[in-house]
Amino acid sequence: MPLHVPPAPAPALRSVLAALGSPTAVREARTPALRSVQGPLSPELPLPVHVLDQIVPSDSAPYTRLAGWRFLIRSGERAVAAAETMLTPDGWTFSHFFEGPYLSSTERALRQAESMKTHFQPRLLSIPELYMLTLWLHGDTDTDASVGTPLPTDVLVPLRPAPPGIAAHRAHRVADLLPVMTLRLTPAPLLGSPA
């Protein structure tokens, strides 16, 4: 398997396990699939979630920041939900459970990445300006998963639903996709200019 899944920080994993063991956290989750599942649940495939706060067309590397760790929550052979953790001044803590199209899309993108010949470290890259989430396949598999910048040769696989003009589940080199993403942004109108 060419994917080198990084280990999540132990406190992040412990916080998810504690939430899964809490009837209140599971019952109050906005995830019907998680509430209705019978049998044991397990957090798997921890992926660091990085955020690209501003898409800027330039020759410099895009700046990202670590926002959390996401775990797929499995019941048997299928993922029924995901759990998100976040870093607080007191350390890693459980944030929330969720489900939806990104869950199956993440699994599909991971299967797609496993079939590639190159070794990668999988991460998630959120691009809030485009309401877009991608599987970020980082080429440096030995680096700390909590830091780093997308390298031009790294691969991004947009997850479904992707923004108009960007195909979901089509692998792109960062150097090729970033210019396309800048074209998707609409410049804000200048103050005092006619709308």
Side-chain angles (χ1 to χ4, degrees), residues 12 35 43 64 73 77 95 112 117 158 186:
R35 289 193 310 263
T64 62
I73 306 299
E77 293 297 313
S95 174
Q112 184 180 349
K117 305 266 188 256
T186 305

Side-chain angles (χ1 to χ4, degrees), residues 4 9 17 29 36 55-56 62 71 76 79 81 101 126-127 153 170 176-177 180 182 195:
H4 297 265
L17 289 169
S36 65
I55 303 170
V56 179
F71 298 78
S126 173
I127 302 117
T153 56
R170 182 168 176 229
D176 298 332
L177 187 57
V180 172
T182 62

Side-chain angles (χ1 to χ4, degrees), residues 92-106:
W92 288 101
T93 186
F94 171 75
S95 174
H96 62 281
F97 292 115
F98 67 94
E99 60 185 54
Y102 286 123
L103 188 62
S104 61
S105 190
T106 300

